[in-house]
């Protein structure tokens, strides 16, 4: 069934990318995780909060109906700095939810209409899963650069 192939393929890609995020976070200590090494941009930790919020909102809240309420601005400004392992656990949990949700989609589900805040043109569920995985992949590039900068000193 095509829906199973799509669901399994997307879930697998999310899981692969999440493993890469975890691998990049591993050598960072708590201070490095939250440090902004440049006068612009974000910390590694804030980007992981952002990725978690993105997945929990667009897929969790809007498709899986988890009840998640997003505070996007806080993803970039969280001052309390939760522990790295807690942030990474929430990210891993979000990816698990996304994989489970992707695998549960039927042929009809993939083409169901989809709109959400900042994604009013997504069109359908397949497209939002695709957009979210490419968004995750985009930020991995930033995470690679941050990890390099933070660990080279």
């Amino acid at each position: 069934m095509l829906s199973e192939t799509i669901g399994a393929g997307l879930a697998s890609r999310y899981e692969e990318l999440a493993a890469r995020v975890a691998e990049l976070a591993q050598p960072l200590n708590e201070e490095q995780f939250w440090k902004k090494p440049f006068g612009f941009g974000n910390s590694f930790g804030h980007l992981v909060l952002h990725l978690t919020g993105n997945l929990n909102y667009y897929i969790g809240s809007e498709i899986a109906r988890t009840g998640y309420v997003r505070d996007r601005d806080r993803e970039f400004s969280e001052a309390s700095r939760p522990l790295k392992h807690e942030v990474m656990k929430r990210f891993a949990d979000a990816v698990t939810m996304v994989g489970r949700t992707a695998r549960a989609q039927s042929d009809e589900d993939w083409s169901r209409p989809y709109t959400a805040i900042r994604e009013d043109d997504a069109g359908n569920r397949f497209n939002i899963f695709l957009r979210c995985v490419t968004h995750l992949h985009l930020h991995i590039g930033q995470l690679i650069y941050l990890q390099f900068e933070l660990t080279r000193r």
Side-chain angles (χ1 to χ4, degrees):
M1 203 178 221
L2 183 58
S3 61
E4 292 170 3
T5 301
I6 292 169
L10 283 169
S12 176
R13 188 64 180 149
Y14 277 99
E15 292 157 3
E16 291 165 10
L17 294 174
R20 181 68 172 129
V21 173
E23 175 188 333
L24 290 165
Q26 192 280 323
L28 302 178
N29 63 35
E30 294 291 332
E31 180 183 341
Q32 290 169 321
F33 190 72
W34 293 107
K35 184 177 182 172
K36 293 182 181 183
F38 308 107
F40 57 90
N42 298 290
S43 70
F44 196 104
H46 285 103
L47 284 174
V48 175
L49 290 177
H50 171 60
L51 292 167
T52 304
N54 180 274
L55 297 176
N56 277 327
Y57 174 67
Y58 288 116
I59 296 175
S61 179
E62 298 298 308
I63 296 176
R65 299 293 179 212
T66 62
Y68 179 82
V69 176
R70 188 176 192 190
D71 184 351
R72 187 177 185 279
D73 291 340
R74 190 171 179 186
E75 295 165 13
F76 298 104
S77 63
E78 178 61 62
S80 70
R81 295 183 174 193
L83 294 173
K84 175 182 135 179
H85 77 273
E86 293 172 359
V87 173
M88 295 306 297
K89 170 87 168 78
R90 286 187 291 233
F91 174 68
D93 290 346
V95 171
T96 298
M97 175 274 302
V98 168
R100 186 174 51 248
T101 304
R103 287 181 176 99
Q105 300 304 295
S106 67
D107 289 348
E108 296 78 27
D109 290 335
W110 286 118
S111 60
R112 284 184 194 269
Y114 182 97
T115 62
I117 297 169
R118 301 173 82 103
E119 287 291 345
D120 52 336
D121 66 338
N124 59 57
R125 287 184 177 187
F126 173 78
N127 200 27
I128 198 63
F129 274 91
L130 186 62
R131 286 182 180 191
C132 286
V133 80
T134 57
H135 176 256
L136 172 55
H137 201 237
L138 168 100
H139 282 301
I140 285 178
Q142 292 173 308
L143 295 172
I144 290 168
Y145 194 66
L146 285 169
Q147 191 246 37
F148 173 79
E149 183 65 20
L150 291 164
T151 58
R152 75 180 181 99
R153 296 182 179 157

